[in-house]
Amino acid sequence: TCRHEGRTVSIPFDECAWCTQAAAPEFLSRSGLDCDERGFLRTNLKLQCLQNDIPQRVYAAGDCSTVDGHPRPKAGVFAVMAGMALYQNLVADLRGEEFVEHVPQTRLLALVGLGDGTCVASRGDLALEGEWLYRLKDWIDRKWMWQYTGGLPSLDEEEDVEDAIASRANALDVLRKTPMRCGGCGAKVGSNTLTRALSSLPDVPSSDRCVVEVGLDAPDDGAVVAYDDTRLVHTVDFFRSFIGDAYVFGQVAANHALSDCDAMGAKPASALALCVVPYGGERQTEDSLRQMMAGARKALDEAGCSLVGGHTCEG
């Protein structure tokens, strides 16, 4: 049954697909930023979030936000179309340049495959169905995915990079000739480089003391090692500082490391800290370490994980 023009109407059906709108996660309303009546972040035309109607240096686009005066359904096309304006305004904010304004389009073309080689297309009040629409949808989808597969620039080193290496050019000169440097997540070594390096190592010998269940032969977010009836997950994480606040960076680093345990379904028990601090006087070094470790302790303590030791160095 459903309500139509104030009346309750019963409609017979064979199968029912219950479709609902997107719901805003609770943390948006707890952020201190202005939200609309449905709990989504309010932004102006520059995609800046608002706080007491005042634009902030926080930006949002897509399903988590609503542009003031231009509410739209939560559909991916609106997020995609806002992407370029979001990028331009982030760059403009950092460079102190003029912002661009983004007004979301009023209508969208929806293409829904029916699973039988046909497709329904709708835009506004117009709706069509047919096999040719499925071919159109398939072409659009494949073209979109190609941009993130075959359409990406090659990361393979070209001849000019090899020439730079052969001529013993310095590291910066070599990097300038690289088409696109893959730094991996958190500025790690790129995946392809790491895989090639590890594949040249001999196989890990077996041990009577433990059994490696997840290791280099099938790398994951953490290694799984079995000792008798106990399974331990080993994981290590490290990345360069990206913020001047050592306390906040310690929190971020610890939470980033703890996320590997979450990904492996493991309960964190103990942690070792590896800290690299910049060269400086004893007071500066002590202060950096104290703040960084205090931040890490806060995150570890909240996760019930004990900090039991570690190692430090300058660099």
Side-chain angles (χ1 to χ4, degrees):
T1 59
C2 64
R3 299 287 294 178
H4 178 67
E5 296 181 350
R7 296 181 297 110
T8 300
V9 181
S10 296
I11 303 175
F13 61 88
D14 296 318
E15 295 183 14
C16 177
W18 188 262
C19 301
T20 64
Q21 288 279 358
E26 293 183 1
F27 76 88
L28 296 180
S29 60
R30 298 197 303 264
S31 67
L33 299 170
D34 295 348
C35 295
D36 64 11
E37 65 278 1
R38 295 180 57 201
F40 296 101
L41 294 174
R42 291 175 52 210
T43 73
N44 58 17
L45 292 177
K46 300 171 185 176
L47 304 181
Q48 294 171 302
C49 293
L50 307 176
Q51 189 173 50
N52 298 323
D53 292 327
I54 301 175
Q56 305 296 309
R57 295 187 69 190
V58 179
Y59 297 80
D63 289 354
C64 71
S65 63
T66 300
V67 178
D68 265 5
H70 302 276
R72 298 290 186 269
K74 301 304 179 184
V77 63
F78 297 112
V80 171
M81 299 305 292
M84 182 54 66
L86 178 65
Y87 166 76
Q88 291 174 331
N89 286 340
L90 287 171
V91 173
D93 190 322
L94 294 174
R95 294 179 175 175
E97 298 174 349
E98 186 175 351
F99 291 93
V100 299
E101 293 188 344
H102 172 72
V103 178
Q105 63 193 72
T106 56
R107 293 185 177 183
L108 75 156
L109 173 64
L111 295 169
V112 181
L114 301 182
D116 59 357
T118 64
C119 179
V120 172
S122 65
R123 179 178 172 86
D125 297 330
L126 176 66
L128 297 172
E129 180 181 356
E131 293 184 4
W132 69 274
L133 286 169
Y134 182 82
R135 293 194 293 270
L136 173 62
K137 172 180 170 57
D138 186 62
W139 177 79
I140 292 174
D141 291 345
R142 291 180 183 276
K143 181 182 178 182
W144 175 261
M145 294 306 300
W146 177 83
Q147 298 179 68
Y148 299 93
T149 53
L152 292 174
S154 173
L155 297 180
D156 294 334
E157 294 184 346
E158 301 174 354
E159 292 184 2
D160 53 355
V161 178
E162 298 295 337
D163 293 341
I165 296 174
S167 65
R168 297 185 179 181
N170 63 47
L172 290 179
D173 288 336
V174 173
L175 290 178
R176 291 189 185 101
K177 296 181 180 296
T178 303
M180 181 184 292
R181 178 167 178 78
C182 176
C185 173
K188 294 185 292 190
V189 173
S191 175
N192 292 339
T193 303
L194 179 62
T195 299
R196 289 194 299 268
L198 293 178
S199 64
S200 65
L201 298 177
D203 294 337
V204 177
S206 58
S207 171
D208 295 334
R209 290 173 295 175
C210 65
V211 176
V212 179
E213 297 185 350
V214 178
L216 293 179
D217 56 336
D220 208 323
D221 291 284
V224 180
V225 180
Y227 295 87
D228 296 327
D229 296 330
T230 303
R231 283 184 174 85
L232 297 180
V233 173
H234 297 271
T235 180
V236 61
D237 219 330
F238 184 90
F239 53 85
R240 297 192 298 265
S241 176
F242 54 86
I243 187 173
D245 190 321
Y247 180 82
V248 173
F249 178 66
Q251 286 182 282
V252 173
N255 278 311
H256 195 265
L258 288 166
S259 69
D260 284 344
C261 296
D262 294 335
M264 296 300 294
K267 183 178 180 180
S270 61
L272 298 174
L274 174 60
C275 303
V276 180
V277 294
Y279 294 109
E282 289 187 3
R283 289 186 178 180
Q284 290 83 357
T285 300
E286 179 183 340
D287 184 61
S288 295
L289 273 175
R290 180 174 61 252
Q291 292 190 47
M292 188 157 47
M293 297 314 301
R297 272 289 307 275
K298 184 177 188 300
L300 293 173
D301 291 350
E302 290 174 351
C305 182
S306 302
L307 179 65
V308 296
H311 184 79
T312 61
C313 62
E314 292 182 298

